[in-house]
Amino acid sequence: MSRLCLLLLLVLLSGCSSLGYYAQLAGGQWQLLAARQPVDELLADPGQPAELRQRLTLAQDARDFASARLALPDNRSYRLYADLERPYVVWNLFATPEFSLQPVTHCFPIAGCVAYRGWFDEQRARGAAALLRVQGLDTAVAGVEAYSTLGWFDDPLLAGMLAWNDARLAALIFHELAHQRLYLPGDTAFNESYARFVEEEGLRQWRRARGLPPPPAHLERQREQFVALVMASRARLEALYARPLAAEALRALKQAEFQRLRGEYAALREGPWQGDARFDGWFARPLNNARLLPFGLYEQWVPAFAALFAEAGGDWPRFHAEVAELAALGEGARRERLAALQARGGFAGSARLD
C-alpha cells in the first residue's frame, strides 16, 4: 500500500482542495481495492453464478485482445473483479459559468488539471453540485462505470461494467487501458480523444476478430447526427456568449437555444429516424452548459487521432509511439499538429451520453 500512502501525502501537500474531499477519494479507492478478487479464481469456482462466469470470460477475452492486438498494457488491471453493489464506481461533477462553455477545472498532484471532480458517493456529488449552483454555475453529475488509476493500482472489472452489452464492455476495457498507456496531465481533451479513438477502432477490430458484423449502419448514422446536433448547439452558444449583452438577455437567448436543440432533435426522431427514441433519456434532464461539456472533451481530437493511425499504417505500436511524441510537444505545437491532422478528416467519433 506504499503507493496509496504516497498518493495521500502528495494530496495533502498540494493544497488544491479540501481535506474532506481527498478523504472521500482515499476512502473510496480503499474500498475498491479491498473488494478485488482475481478473475481466474472466480472462473475456477463452480459455485459462482453461470452468468457472472460468462461475463468474466468475455471480459478476459477482450482484455487479452487489448494487449495482444492493440498494444495496450499487459498487467493485472481488469484481471481482477470487484462488486461494489452499485451501478457506478464514481460520479463526475462538471461545472461551467452560466455564460460560458469553459469547464471549471480542478488540479491534482498526479492527474494534473481536469474538467471535472469525481465523487465515490452520488449524494455527496449532487450536494457539491447544489452548492455550485447557488454560486451561479451550471452543473451536471454523470455516473461512471469505470476509471483508470493510470497504472498506480491494478484496476478491477466492476459489476456495473458487466451489466453492459458485449461491445460496451470491451470498449470500456480498451478505453481505460489507453489511459494507462498514455496520459498527459492537464489536457483532458487530448487524453479523452485518444482513449476514445483507441476504444472505437479497437472495438471495430475486436468485432472483426470474433466474426461479428459491424453495428447497424443506421445506428451509427443516428449517433453521428445526434453528436453533430449537440456540437452545433455548442457552437451557437459560444457565439452567443461572446456578444456584449446584458445577463437577462443572455439568459433568455440561452434558454431559446436549448429549446431549439430539443426541437431539432424531435424533428430528427419523428422524421428520418422514424420514431426511434434512443436518445430521449439524454433530453429528459434539464439542459445547461455543463451537460454539453463531455461532447467537446471526448470528441475534439478523435478525427486527428484517426488520421494519425492511418499515417502509422494501422500499426498500433507505431501509433502509440507517435501519440507519445505529440504529447511531448508544447501545448501550442501540439494543438497545431492536431489541427493539421484534423483537417485531413477521417473518423467521426461519438460522445458519452451519460
Side-chain angles (χ1 to χ4, degrees), residues 205-352:
Q205 295 187 16
W206 184 73
R207 291 179 69 95
R208 285 200 300 269
R210 293 170 63 85
L212 300 173
H218 77 280
L219 295 181
E220 291 294 302
R221 185 166 58 254
Q222 285 180 5
R223 180 175 287 272
E224 290 173 5
Q225 290 172 334
F226 172 65
V227 172
L229 205 67
V230 177
M231 294 298 285
S233 184
R234 277 180 56 99
R236 291 191 295 268
L237 285 169
E238 287 174 338
L240 170 63
Y241 298 149
R243 296 170 60 185
L245 299 175
E248 293 79 3
L250 282 174
R251 199 166 289 124
L253 290 169
K254 173 184 177 180
Q255 292 308 312
E257 172 56 40
F258 287 133
Q259 284 300 109
R260 174 179 175 176
L261 176 58
R262 290 183 183 279
E264 290 181 345
Y265 168 67
L268 268 180
R269 183 190 60 195
E270 300 307 321
W273 295 3
Q274 299 181 342
D276 191 320
R278 59 195 293 244
F279 297 115
D280 278 13
W282 191 84
F283 282 96
R285 291 177 287 169
L287 297 179
N288 61 28
N289 297 332
R291 291 287 312 285
L292 305 188
L293 273 182
F295 290 84
L297 294 175
Y298 286 84
E299 301 305 302
Q300 185 172 354
W301 299 119
V302 171
F305 287 112
L308 190 63
F309 187 73
E311 280 190 0
D315 182 278
W316 283 103
R318 180 181 166 191
F319 167 72
H320 294 307
E322 292 188 5
V323 173
E325 291 179 6
L326 264 179
L329 297 175
E331 182 178 0
R334 183 170 64 252
R335 287 181 173 272
E336 183 177 342
R337 169 70 170 141
L338 286 167
L341 288 165
Q342 193 99 313
R344 299 172 197 172
F347 173 88
S350 55
R352 291 191 186 278

Side-chain angles (χ1 to χ4, degrees), residues 62 66 70 72-73 78 116 144-148 150 155 161 167-183 188-203 297-299 302 320 350-352:
L70 309 181
L72 293 172
Y78 311 112
Y116 49 82
V144 178
E145 312 96 333
Y147 74 101
S148 173
L150 308 180
D155 299 316
M161 296 171 65
R168 180 64 176 141
L169 174 57
L172 273 172
I173 292 171
F174 302 157
H175 185 103
E176 300 306 333
L177 285 172
H179 284 315
Q180 288 194 19
R181 172 80 197 223
L182 190 142
Y183 184 88
T188 301
F190 180 90
N191 295 324
E192 296 299 345
S193 296
Y194 162 65
R196 171 53 58 87
F197 172 75
V198 172
E199 164 192 331
E200 297 203 353
E201 177 59 30
L203 184 58
L297 294 175
Y298 286 84
E299 301 305 302
V302 171
H320 294 307
S350 55
R352 291 191 186 278

Side-chain angles (χ1 to χ4, degrees), residues 50-259:
E51 182 179 0
L52 173 63
R53 295 169 66 190
Q54 184 274 331
R55 300 304 291 157
L56 289 175
T57 297
L58 182 131
Q60 294 312 282
D61 288 345
R63 180 65 187 82
D64 292 341
F65 185 89
S67 294
R69 301 286 292 276
L70 309 181
L72 293 172
D74 188 4
N75 53 32
R76 294 185 73 223
S77 287
Y78 311 112
R79 301 190 188 282
L80 304 166
Y81 172 71
D83 185 357
L84 299 178
E85 300 183 350
R86 59 180 190 252
Y88 301 112
V89 59
V90 71
W91 285 262
N92 282 345
L93 168 56
F94 297 89
T96 70
E98 184 181 7
F99 303 125
S100 173
L101 284 161
Q102 292 302 309
V104 175
T105 57
H106 305 276
C107 299
F108 300 90
I110 296 167
C113 297
V114 297
Y116 49 82
R117 250 188 171 193
W119 297 83
F120 279 92
D121 181 271
E122 181 180 9
Q123 294 310 310
R124 293 189 68 177
R126 298 197 180 280
L131 291 175
L132 292 178
R133 287 196 297 273
V134 170
Q135 299 172 32
L137 299 176
D138 282 10
T139 67
V141 175
V144 178
E145 312 96 333
Y147 74 101
S148 173
T149 58
L150 308 180
W152 276 68
F153 303 104
D154 296 324
D155 299 316
L157 293 161
L158 296 162
M161 296 171 65
L162 299 189
W164 288 89
N165 62 36
D166 293 359
R168 180 64 176 141
L169 174 57
L172 273 172
I173 292 171
F174 302 157
H175 185 103
E176 300 306 333
L177 285 172
H179 284 315
Q180 288 194 19
R181 172 80 197 223
L182 190 142
Y183 184 88
L184 178 59
D187 196 332
T188 301
F190 180 90
N191 295 324
E192 296 299 345
S193 296
Y194 162 65
R196 171 53 58 87
F197 172 75
V198 172
E199 164 192 331
E200 297 203 353
E201 177 59 30
L203 184 58
R204 278 193 289 274
Q205 295 187 16
W206 184 73
R207 291 179 69 95
R208 285 200 300 269
R210 293 170 63 85
L212 300 173
H218 77 280
L219 295 181
E220 291 294 302
R221 185 166 58 254
Q222 285 180 5
R223 180 175 287 272
E224 290 173 5
Q225 290 172 334
F226 172 65
V227 172
L229 205 67
V230 177
M231 294 298 285
S233 184
R234 277 180 56 99
R236 291 191 295 268
L237 285 169
E238 287 174 338
L240 170 63
Y241 298 149
R243 296 170 60 185
L245 299 175
E248 293 79 3
L250 282 174
R251 199 166 289 124
L253 290 169
K254 173 184 177 180
Q255 292 308 312
E257 172 56 40
F258 287 133
Q259 284 300 109

